[in-house]
Amino acid sequence: MQQVTALARDLVATDEPYEVGLEIHGVSAHASMEVEPAGLVYLIWGELTDWVELKPDENEQAAAEMFRAAREWLSLDLADREGVARYLNYWVYDVCG
């Protein structure tokens, strides 16, 4: 999950979050076999990057949500399993549906 955190830092520092979002999606795909939360991170970033690809007229909204997801990830204490679970559940079920 350290790679996700590093990429989230990169994302909030860029003007083009889509490419970094794809990197987060890819990194979490490889980690999802080893770390349970990575599978949910994979779902979140897959949905966010698909939003850009499938609804180009909503790119600004999708980018705003990518920035928000990254900032919220960076504010997490990854040692707090309950906090991480709340983040993941919120993004998977409430935001991404």
Side-chain angles (χ1 to χ4, degrees):
M1 301 315 302
Q2 292 175 344
Q3 289 178 304
V4 171
T5 299
L7 288 167
R9 282 190 195 104
D10 292 346
L11 190 142
V12 298
T14 186
D15 293 331
E16 298 294 330
Y18 174 74
E19 293 299 325
V20 182
L22 285 176
E23 289 184 61
I24 295 171
H25 185 242
V27 163
S28 59
H30 296 295
S32 67
M33 299 298 183
E34 301 165 17
V35 182
E36 180 186 340
L40 295 177
V41 172
Y42 173 81
L43 291 175
I44 293 164
W45 287 94
E47 183 67 27
L48 292 173
T49 54
D50 282 354
W51 189 0
V52 171
E53 295 166 11
L54 300 174
K55 298 180 181 178
D57 57 317
E58 296 179 12
N59 277 351
E60 284 184 35
Q61 295 158 315
E65 287 297 89
M66 287 184 192
F67 285 122
R68 187 167 71 97
R71 282 191 306 271
E72 289 179 9
W73 177 264
L74 292 171
S75 72
L76 289 173
D77 173 0
L78 296 180
D80 176 5
R81 290 177 167 239
E82 289 180 21
V84 171
R86 278 191 304 275
Y87 169 90
L88 294 170
N89 286 330
Y90 170 75
W91 278 95
V92 169
Y93 301 109
D94 296 338
V95 177
C96 296

